[in-house]
Amino acid sequence: MIASTPVAQWSWGEFGHDTDLVREAVHRFLLTLEVLDRHRLATPHGGRVSVQVPGMGRRSMLFRADLPLGKAAADTAEDSPLAEALVERIREGVAPGEIGGVDLYARCDGIVETGNGAEAFEGLFALSAEVSEGYFHVALTTFSDAWMPFDLRGRAQEAVFAANRPRLASALAGIAEGLDVEIDPDDATWFAVPTESGVENHYEDDGSASDVWGSFEIPYRNGIFSQTPKFTAGYGRQASGAVRYFPVAGPEQVLGYLWASDAEGAASFEARDAADLEAYRAGLVWLERLQAAYDRGLSPAAALVELGRLPADPVAGRPEADRATDVDEFWKLGQLARQEHPSSKP
C-alpha cells in the first residue's frame, strides 16, 4: 500500500562539511541513490532530480530546476561523468550571489517483492540531500508498508515482510556506511515507527496491529472533498443543514454521494470510506464537473440535476439520480458514507 504522506523517514547528517557545496550535495545524493538502486528500491521518477540553490540566509533563490539524471547506478563516483555533468549543469545555472546551500530531491519508484513476484511501484521512496556551509543532511522517506509485519490495514503480510524487510535493512546499513554517518530514525508518523533497520507497526491496546489506513489515510486523502478552495471561485464544499444527494455507483459498490445545498451555496462529493481509492478517484472527477457547472452559473441544486443525467463512466461511476434523497442535517450523510453498505448491483 502506498500512502499519501510519509510512512517512515530516516536521516543521516553531521557538521564539518563545508567544501564545494554543489559537488558535496551531488556526491551525497548520488552515493545514497546508488545504494538504493543496487537493492532495486529507488530510481528517480522520470529520471529527473529537483535542484534548488538558495542564496545566503535562504532569502532568495539563485537556481531552481528539474534536471535529467538518467540511470544513476554504477556511475556515482564523485568524479564520474554523471556527477560531473550534474555539477556543471547546476553551476552554469546559478545566478550571481553567495550560495547559502544546495538541495537535491527526487521522488523515486522501486520494486516490491509480492506474493505474485516482483512488482514495480511509483512513489515508493523520496530522497533528499541538503548541504549548507558546515553541514550536510540526507533524508530517505518511504510511503510504503512493504517493510512492515502488518500492512497499513493491520493485516498480516508474512511473505511480503520476509522478502522486503531485509532489502531495506541492507540499504539503510549501506547508506550509513557509504556516508560514514550513523543512521537517525525520525519520529513515529501516523502510520508507523521507523527503526535503524526497518519499520514497525502501531498496535492497539489488545496487541493487534492498528488499521492506520482507515484511521488516517482515508480521512486525510478524502479531505479535499470538504475543503473549499481559498483562491478559486466555486461552490462551498461544506454544509451543516439540509442537503439533497444521490448515490454514485461503481461496478460492485456505491462509491459515494453527490450532494448539493442552495441554502448554503455548497455542493461536493461525499466519498464512502469502504470504497477507498475507487471513491477518491471518482470524487476528483465529480469535483471537476461541479466546477464546470459553477463556471456556467448553475446553482448547486441545478448542477446536481444536470450531473445526475450524465452516463456511467469507468472512473466517475454511475449517477443514480432516481434515488435522490433529502436529509435535514449534513452529518447524517457523512455518517452514511462511513458505514459499510450493500452492493450497488440491482
Side-chain angles (χ1 to χ4, degrees):
M1 305 177 78
I2 303 294
S4 302
T5 58
V7 170
Q9 181 170 293
W10 303 266
S11 301
W12 298 262
E14 66 178 4
F15 293 98
H17 293 262
D18 49 2
T19 65
D20 180 335
L21 298 187
V22 174
R23 185 176 297 279
E24 179 80 8
V26 168
H27 172 60
R28 300 284 178 182
F29 182 85
L30 293 182
L31 185 153
T32 306
L33 187 60
E34 188 277 330
V35 175
L36 295 168
D37 188 80
R38 192 193 314 153
H39 293 85
R40 301 186 303 158
L41 290 174
T43 299
H45 185 73
R48 305 186 74 83
V49 57
S50 176
V51 182
Q52 294 188 17
V53 181
M56 187 60 68
R58 295 183 175 262
R59 290 185 293 271
S60 62
M61 193 61 63
L62 305 180
F63 180 75
R64 180 188 286 118
D66 287 337
L67 301 179
L69 194 58
K71 293 292 289 181
D75 191 23
T76 58
E78 193 165 2
D79 57 351
S80 70
L82 173 63
E84 287 299 318
L86 188 55
V87 168
E88 288 307 310
R89 286 288 301 273
I90 297 172
R91 284 177 174 166
E92 289 172 0
V94 173
E98 188 174 3
I99 293 178
V102 180
D103 306 338
L104 281 74
Y105 173 88
R107 190 72 181 256
C108 299
D109 308 330
I111 300 295
V112 170
E113 298 292 342
T114 70
N116 299 317
E119 186 175 344
F121 283 86
E122 292 186 358
L124 203 61
F125 285 95
L127 172 63
S128 65
E130 302 177 9
V131 175
S132 58
E133 188 171 348
Y135 187 77
F136 87 84
H137 177 263
V138 172
L140 178 67
T141 303
T142 185
F143 296 84
S144 171
D145 60 0
W147 343 102
M148 299 162 61
F150 301 86
D151 70 11
L152 297 178
R153 277 289 192 187
R155 301 170 298 199
Q157 51 175 10
E158 295 178 6
V160 171
F161 174 70
N164 294 288
R165 176 63 166 265
R167 298 170 60 218
L168 177 62
S170 181
L172 294 174
I175 294 170
E177 180 180 358
L179 296 174
D180 194 24
V181 177
E182 291 184 0
I183 186 172
D184 180 19
D186 281 19
D187 293 336
T189 67
W190 289 345
F191 300 113
V193 182
T195 69
E196 292 187 1
S197 60
V199 193
E200 297 297 333
N201 291 87
H202 288 297
Y203 293 91
E204 300 298 320
D205 292 340
D206 63 3
S208 62
S210 299
D211 176 11
V212 290
W213 188 267
S215 299
F216 299 110
E217 172 66 15
I218 290 176
Y220 175 83
R221 189 179 58 215
N222 289 348
I224 188 173
F225 304 126
S226 60
Q227 296 167 1
T228 304
K230 294 181 179 179
F231 305 108
T232 302
Y235 303 125
R237 295 181 186 174
Q238 293 183 349
S240 57
V243 301
R244 186 168 181 78
Y245 73 91
F246 59 72
V248 175
E252 301 293 334
Q253 61 182 329
V254 171
L255 303 178
Y257 306 93
L258 198 67
W259 62 268
S261 166
D262 276 353
E264 298 188 57
S268 189
F269 181 81
E270 189 71 9
R272 283 191 61 243
D273 285 359
D276 206 348
L277 281 171
E278 283 187 272
Y280 174 70
R281 291 167 181 149
L284 294 180
V285 177
W286 289 106
L287 287 186
E288 291 180 358
R289 292 172 172 178
L290 285 168
Q291 185 62 50
Y294 176 88
D295 292 342
R296 288 186 284 110
L298 297 183
S299 69
L304 189 70
V305 171
E306 179 177 286
L307 296 183
R309 301 190 184 111
L310 292 177
D313 178 89
V315 177
R318 182 182 71 256
E320 298 187 335
D322 58 333
R323 296 175 58 190
T325 307
D326 295 293
V327 290
D328 57 356
E329 294 181 280
F330 179 80
W331 68 266
K332 295 180 180 179
L333 176 59
Q335 188 177 60
L336 178 63
R338 307 288 88 77
Q339 297 173 353
E340 292 295 329
H341 199 76
S343 167
S344 67
K345 288 182 175 180

